[in-house]
Amino acid sequence: MIELKNLSKTFQTADGDFQALENISLTVRDGDIFGIVGMSGAGKSTLVRCINLLERPTSGQVLIDGLVEGEAGPMDLCRMTPAQLRQARRSISMIFQQFNLLMQRTCLKNICFPMEIAGVPADQARKRALELLELVGLPDKASAYPAQLSGGQKQRIAIARALASDPKVLLCDEATSALDPTTTRSILRLIQDINRRLGITVVVITHEMAVVEEICSHVAILDHGRLMESGTVQEVFSNPKTEEGRKLVNPDGARVARMFPSSRIIRVVFNGGSAYEPLVASLAIDCGVKANILGADTKNIDGKAFGYILLGLPEDPEQAARAMSYIRSQKDVMVEEGMDEHG
Ligand SMILES: Nc1ncnc2c1ncn2[C@@H]1O[C@H](COP(=O)(O)OP(=O)(O)O)[C@@H](O)[C@H]1O
Ligand SMILES: [Mg+2]
């Protein structure tokens, strides 16, 4: 388990102190694929770098268990001795948007690199590297150089290298942000496969909601260095609680609501039950109320339909009230009133 407790990070800059992270507390359970999302500059990379102490938090704790031999229970990385920290870091691997491969080394030698540093005998390292090439689906690229590979292949080699130290945790900082959608999906599949087969806990940092939808079980929303909300992807994506969450999950809400400023806008949230079309149709047929669909986004998460529609109700208060009570009577549906311009 990874537990961040009251984590803060302040950078000293020429213009004074800048607080990049403010009192972040969150828990990532073993075996989770945990997403951390936010706009550019939200503090995602800083947060993920605090997990392996590439960045030392200004205050707070980074508690992880099982990384240091002979130590039962969670240990705070900030309080480890240098030797303990070196050992702990070997169990926390990281992959990046720009792959960070050594260009003058072959793929095989890139994968061997962390094992060389750890003092693994050369023949043993080579054997393991060949297995890892197989695992990431590139058994024929052992003697290729990174420059000869596509972006997706480079990230596969970077993943193989990250796995060379038999990590317990894999940190992915925008690992698919430089890749096209199809390649992104194949890399996400690989990460998911690694998580399931090797039981590695994965923390995924991304500004792309689609990435979180695709592979994460849990998600936290970061905004200006603060944790706005967190929970299962189902909970947070089907019904974000904060304005920042709604802006990320439903970026179109703002635009849509501005287009219909006079409408009374409600948000109808579906929690794995009926789809939205029958509801809007039956609203018209059963209640005689015509509602405008101002925006909609339904998603398939874990085989269940989730999502929301933004409905513009008639100006007439009596009709609007009739519509509200009808929608409220539906099961698996939640209604929020008084949407502002942020949907
Ligand atoms: N070493 C640093 N010194 C000063 N400011 C920094 C440093 N690293 C990051 N920041 C600032 O912290 C904020 C968060 O950065 P970052 O964690 O990279 O965000 P994200 O990954 O979400 O885009 C940004 O405003 C960035 O300019
Ligand atoms: Mg970043």
Side-chain angles (χ1 to χ4, degrees):
M1 192 159 89
I2 303 171
E3 204 177 354
L4 307 182
K5 275 194 179 163
N6 307 110
L7 196 82
S8 293
K9 175 71 190 181
T10 303
F11 290 112
Q12 263 91 44
T13 72
D15 307 325
D17 286 359
F18 177 81
Q19 186 158 23
L21 296 173
E22 200 179 324
N23 205 28
I24 306 273
S25 295
L26 62 84
T27 302
V28 180
R29 294 173 317 173
D30 287 342
D32 272 357
I33 303 186
F34 196 104
I36 297 175
V37 294
M39 308 272 194
S40 172
K44 305 181 295 296
S45 293
T46 306
L47 182 63
V48 80
R49 289 160 61 83
C50 283
I51 297 179
N52 59 9
L53 239 62
L54 275 179
E55 208 71 79
R56 193 167 270 275
T58 311
S59 61
Q61 294 176 296
V62 180
L63 299 165
I64 311 184
D65 51 10
L67 301 189
V68 177
E69 246 166 71
E71 292 284 345
M75 282 184 84
D76 183 359
L77 269 70
C78 305
R79 291 166 163 269
M80 284 184 181
T81 64
Q84 287 175 328
L85 187 57
R86 269 197 303 279
Q87 196 189 346
R89 278 206 182 116
R90 278 204 285 278
S91 292
I92 309 175
S93 284
M94 195 162 176
I95 56 172
F96 308 86
Q97 177 171 359
Q98 63 282 8
F99 323 121
N100 292 7
L101 296 174
L102 300 166
M103 299 307 278
Q104 70 285 10
R105 278 184 164 229
T106 62
C107 292
L108 189 80
K109 286 279 169 66
N110 263 284
I111 301 169
C112 286
F113 190 62
M115 294 186 276
E116 271 171 39
I117 291 175
V120 176
D123 54 340
Q124 205 178 314
R126 190 187 144 78
K127 183 166 169 282
R128 178 76 182 127
L130 289 169
E131 286 168 11
L132 288 166
L133 275 169
E134 192 84 39
L135 180 79
V136 300
L138 296 176
D140 52 337
K141 296 295 182 195
S143 50
Y145 285 86
Q148 298 169 307
L149 304 180
S150 69
Q153 290 172 333
K154 282 183 196 146
Q155 196 58 291
R156 283 174 188 268
I157 298 299
I159 290 171
R161 182 183 56 182
L163 296 178
S165 53
D166 282 325
K168 297 199 166 61
V169 178
L170 178 65
L171 307 175
C172 310
D173 190 352
E174 302 277 6
T176 57
S177 298
L179 305 174
D180 64 73
T182 307
T183 311
T184 292
R185 213 161 296 126
S186 80
I187 293 294
L188 294 178
R189 284 282 90 79
L190 176 62
I191 292 173
Q192 195 168 44
D193 190 46
I194 286 164
N195 163 261
R196 287 182 185 158
R197 277 167 55 183
L198 308 179
I200 295 176
T201 305
V202 180
V203 179
V204 170
I205 301 288
T206 182
H207 67 282
E208 294 175 296
M209 302 308 114
V211 166
V212 173
E213 257 168 50
E214 189 96 13
I215 62 165
C216 295
S217 51
H218 292 76
V219 65
I221 291 179
L222 205 60
D223 187 77
H224 290 96
R226 287 178 303 143
L227 183 72
M228 304 314 297
E229 54 185 303
S230 65
T232 67
V233 173
Q234 291 188 356
E235 284 163 8
V236 175
F237 276 37
S238 65
N239 192 17
K241 299 266 183 302
T242 60
E243 194 178 313
E244 290 77 10
R246 281 196 285 273
K247 268 193 224 169
L248 272 177
V249 174
N250 159 33
D252 293 335
R255 186 173 46 75
V256 164
R258 266 198 302 279
M259 282 159 53
F260 296 88
S262 63
S263 297
R264 177 173 171 186
I265 297 172
I266 61 166
R267 177 189 183 86
V268 184
V269 179
F270 297 84
N271 290 317
S274 54
Y276 68 85
E277 295 92 345
L279 176 81
V280 176
S282 56
L283 193 61
I285 296 163
D286 298 350
C287 306
V289 175
K290 289 198 191 104
N292 272 325
I293 300 180
L294 303 180
D297 190 6
T298 51
K299 305 170 209 274
N300 197 351
I301 302 172
D302 272 358
K304 288 179 242 156
F306 287 87
Y308 70 89
I309 48 175
L310 288 177
L311 286 184
L313 298 184
E315 291 291 309
D316 176 48
E318 190 271 326
Q319 276 201 40
R322 200 146 27 104
M324 284 301 286
S325 73
Y326 180 83
I327 296 168
R328 285 222 166 89
S329 72
Q330 304 295 305
K331 71 175 167 57
D332 289 326
V333 160
M334 277 174 43
V335 192
E336 288 171 21
E337 282 185 87
M339 291 294 106
D340 62 10
E341 71 272 22
H342 299 299

